[in-house]
């Protein structure tokens, strides 16, 4: 699975990405996980299966859902998991979104 995280400048999510990568590796999952700033999401369409937004850009969810245009689920990362850099929790959120999207 390919998981894209989005925030204001692409920097604040880097630690969350690292923790998610660690969790995926520990679970034996070969996922591509990366982060971009919100203005770059359109350039990434077709490259990701799930788009997760940092809580600080939750106001962009409607706009980015339109930008993605049904190609992938879009959701705001649960703020507590984001704030504590809980990689396993954010990874599970992405997996659940993906599973629900493909039902």
């Amino acid at each position: 699975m390919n998981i894209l995280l989005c925030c204001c400048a692409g920097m604040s999510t880097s630690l969350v990405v690292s923790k998610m990568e660690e969790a995926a590796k520990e679970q034996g999952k070969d996922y591509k996980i990366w982060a971009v700033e919100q203005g770059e999401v359109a350039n990434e369409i077709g490259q990701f299966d799930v788009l997760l937004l940092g809580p600080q850009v939750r106001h962009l969810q409607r706009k980015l859902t339109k930008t993605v245009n049904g190609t992938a689920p879009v959701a705001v990362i649960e703020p507590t998991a984001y704030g504590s850099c809980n990689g396993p929790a954010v990874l599970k959120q992405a997996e659940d979104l993906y599973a629900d999207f493909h039902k």
Side-chain angles (χ1 to χ4, degrees):
M1 180 178 3
N2 297 321
I3 305 166
L4 179 62
L5 278 68
C6 169
C7 67
C8 288
M11 300 297 290
S12 63
T13 52
S14 61
L15 188 54
V16 177
V17 167
S18 296
K19 296 296 185 179
M20 290 175 69
E21 288 173 333
E22 287 174 21
K25 187 175 181 178
E26 288 171 3
Q27 297 172 25
K29 298 171 180 170
D30 185 25
Y31 292 167
K32 178 180 177 189
I33 306 167
W34 73 108
V36 298
E37 63 95 12
Q38 56 92 16
E40 295 296 316
V41 171
N43 298 331
E44 302 288 333
I45 292 177
Q47 305 300 313
F48 57 87
D49 301 306
V50 175
L51 174 60
L52 294 176
L53 310 179
Q56 71 275 31
V57 294
R58 71 173 51 251
H59 63 279
L60 296 173
Q61 185 173 7
R62 186 172 294 143
K63 175 186 173 188
L64 291 174
T65 298
K66 287 180 184 176
T67 300
V68 170
N69 195 26
T71 60
V74 179
V76 176
I77 299 170
E78 196 282 312
T80 304
Y82 184 86
S84 63
C85 293
N86 186 334
V90 180
L91 187 66
K92 181 170 181 352
Q93 182 182 0
E95 291 171 333
D96 290 348
L97 283 166
Y98 182 81
D100 289 345
F101 187 75
H102 291 283
K103 281 186 178 175

